[in-house]
C-alpha cells in the first residue's frame, strides 16, 4: 500500500507556517460563527411556537430602517408578519450562502493535496463546533426569551466578522509567498483529486482546450457550465443534496424532536443535541485521515453511507433514556455528519483543484458553490417535507424518509463511480 506523502515525509505540521495556522483558525471560527447563528433557530423552535402572538395583537407600524438583527427587534416591537419573516429569512440565507464557498477557496489556496483529507476533515468540524457554540449560547439565555438567543449569536458573529475582515489573508501571494501550485511537485500529480482513479488525463473530455506544452497560463475563472462538466462535480452535487437534506434535518429539527417526542425540556434537548455534532466532528476527521492513508475517498464515503442506514434505524428506535439516546445520536452523527463534512470540504477541494483547471482559486470557489448550492436546495426541500411527513404520518416515517435519502446518496455514487 502506498502511504500518503505527508506520512512519508514526517510530520504534516512541520511544513506549516504561522500563516497557515492563522488561516486555519480564522476560517474555522468564521464559519463556526455562521453556523452558530443558524443553529439558534432550531434551538428556539419550541419557544417561538409558544410565544409568537397572532397578528391581531400587533401594535407596531414599521421597523426602523437602519436596523437589522433577525429575530430580536421584531419580538421587542411586537411586529409579527409572516411575509416580513420570510423576507428576512431569505436575506439571511443569501448572506449565509456566501460563507462556505469563500472559506473553502481560501483554505484551498493555502493547503495542498498532501494531507488534505485529514486537514480538511479536522477543519470541516467548524460547522459542528458552530452548532455546539450556538446551542450553548441559546440555552444560556433562553430563560430571558427566545429573542435574546438571536441577539447574542448575532453580536458574537458581528465581532468575529471584524476580526476576519482585518486578519484573514486570502492567499499566500498577498504576503509574497509562493502559491501551493508552485510549491508542489508536478511529477507527483499533485492536483489530481483522490476521488478519481483515472491514470491518464486524456480520459477526461472537458469542453475547453488546454495547451499541451506545459506553459499554461493560470486560469482565473471558469464558467458555470465548465465547472459542472468537470469530472465528479454533478454526481457528488446530487449525492450531497440527499445527504445535506438528512444532515440539516437533524440540524434544524433534532432539539424539537427531542422535546416533542420525549417530552424533555427545551434547554435539555438543546444540550443533548450537541452529541450529534460531536459524532460529526470525529467522523469527518477520522474518515478524512483514512481517505488520505488509502489515497481514495470514495470507498470510505461509501462505507460510511452504508453504515449510516443502520445508525438511522437504531436511532429511530431509541428508548426514552437520555444516555442511550446520546450514544445513538453520536453514532448517527459519525456516519452522516462525517461524510457530509468530507463532501463539502475535502472532496470539494479535490474537485476544484483538478489539473484541468490549474488549481484556480476562482474555479475552486465555483465548484464548491455548485456542490454546496445543490446541497442547500436539497436541505431546503427537506425542511418542508419533514414537517409535512411528521404532521401526517409521524416521526417514524420521517426516519424512513431519511433512510431513503441516504440510500439514494449511496446509490448515486455507486451508479456513477468516481
Amino acid at each position: 500500500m502506498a502511504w500518503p506523502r505527508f506520512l512519508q515525509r514526517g510530520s504534516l505540521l512541520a511544513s506549516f507556517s504561522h500563516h497557515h495556522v492563522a488561516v486555519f483558525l480564522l476560517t474555522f471560527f468564521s464559519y463556526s460563527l455562521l453556523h452558530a447563528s443558524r443553529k439558534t433557530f432550531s434551538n428556539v423552535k419550541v419557544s417561538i411556537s409558544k410565544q409568537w402572538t397572532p397578528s391581531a395583537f400587533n401594535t407596531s407600524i414599521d421597523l426602523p430602517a437602519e436596523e437589522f438583527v433577525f429575530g430580536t427587534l421584531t419580538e421587542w416591537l411586537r411586529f409579527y408578519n409572516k411575509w416580513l419573516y420570510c423576507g428576512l429569512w431569505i436575506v439571511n440565507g443569501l448572506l449565509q450562502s456566501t460563507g462556505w464557498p469563500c472559506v473553502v477557496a481560501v483554505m484551498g489556496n493555502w493547503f495542498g493535496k498532501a494531507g488534505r483529507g485529514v486537514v480538511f476533515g479536522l477543519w470541516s468540524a467548524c460547522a459542528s463546533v458552530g452548532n455546539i457554540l450556538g446551542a450553548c449560547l441559546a440555552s444560556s439565555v433562553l430563560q430571558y426569551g427566545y429573542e435574546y438567543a438571536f441577539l447574542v449569536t448575532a453580536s458574537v458573529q458581528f465581532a468575529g466578522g471584524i476580526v476576519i475582515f482585518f486578519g484573514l489573508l486570502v492567499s499566500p501571494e498577498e504576503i509574497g509567498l509562493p502559491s501551493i501550485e508552485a510549491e508542489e511537485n508536478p511529477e507527483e500529480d499533485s492536483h489530481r483529486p483522490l476521488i478519481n482513479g483515472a491514470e491518464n488525463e486524456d480520459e477526461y473530455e472537458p469542453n475547453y482546450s488546454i495547451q499541451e506544452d506545459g506553459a499554461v497560463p493560470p486560469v482565473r475563472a471558469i464558467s458555470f457550465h465548465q465547472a459542472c462538466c468537470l469530472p465528479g462535480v454533478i454526481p457528488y452535487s446530487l449525492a450531497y443534496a440527499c445527504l445535506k437534506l438528512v444532515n440539516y434535518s437533524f440540524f434544524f429539527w433534532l432539539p424539537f424532536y427531542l422535546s416533542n417526542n420525549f417530552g424533555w425540556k427545551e434547554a435539555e434537548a438543546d444540550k443533548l443535541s450537541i452529541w450529534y455534532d460531536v459524532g460529526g466532528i470525529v467522523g469527518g476527521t477520522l474518515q478524512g485521515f483514512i481517505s488520505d492513508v488509502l489515497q481514495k475517498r470514495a470507498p470510505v464515503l461509501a462505507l460510511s453511507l452504508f453504515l449510516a442506514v443502520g445508525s438511522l434505524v437504531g436511532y429511530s428506535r431509541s428508548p426514552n433514556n437520555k444516555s442511550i439516546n446520546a450514544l445513538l445520536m453520536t453514532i448517527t452523527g459519525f456516519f452522516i455528519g462525517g461524510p457530509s463534512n468530507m463532501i463539502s470540504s475535502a472532496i470539494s477541494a479535490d474537485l476544484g483543484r483538478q489539473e484541468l483547471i490549474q488549481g484556480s482559486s476562482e474555479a475552486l470557489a465555483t465548484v464548491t458553490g455548485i456542490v454546496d448550492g445543490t446541497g442547500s436546495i436539497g436541505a431546503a426541500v427537506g425542511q418542508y417535507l419533514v414537517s409535512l411527513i411528521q404532521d401526517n404520518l409521524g416521526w417514524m416515517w420521517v426516519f424512513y424518509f431519511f433512510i431513503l435519502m441516504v440510500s439514494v446518496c449511496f446509490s448515486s455514487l455507486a451508479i456513477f463511480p468516481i
Side-chain angles (χ1 to χ4, degrees), residues 89 147 158 209 281 313-314 339 347 391 397:
W89 199 236
E147 66 272 19
F158 180 79
S209 63
I281 293 173
V313 173
I347 290 179
D391 287 340
W397 281 94

Side-chain angles (χ1 to χ4, degrees), residues 37 113 149 167 198 201-202 207 225 236 261 275 280 297 347 367 378 384 392 408:
S37 64
K113 182 180 175 182
E201 66 180 27
D202 293 335
N207 62 343
H225 181 259
Y236 272 101
N261 193 58
W275 289 105
R297 308 226 193 272
I347 290 179
V367 170
Y384 172 76
N392 293 278
V408 171

Side-chain angles (χ1 to χ4, degrees), residues 193-214:
L194 298 183
I195 57 173
N196 199 305
E199 298 296 332
N200 193 325
E201 66 180 27
D202 293 335
E203 295 177 14
Y204 302 130
E205 296 182 358
N207 62 343
Y208 52 97
S209 63
I210 295 180
Q211 301 177 16
E212 297 180 354
D213 58 2

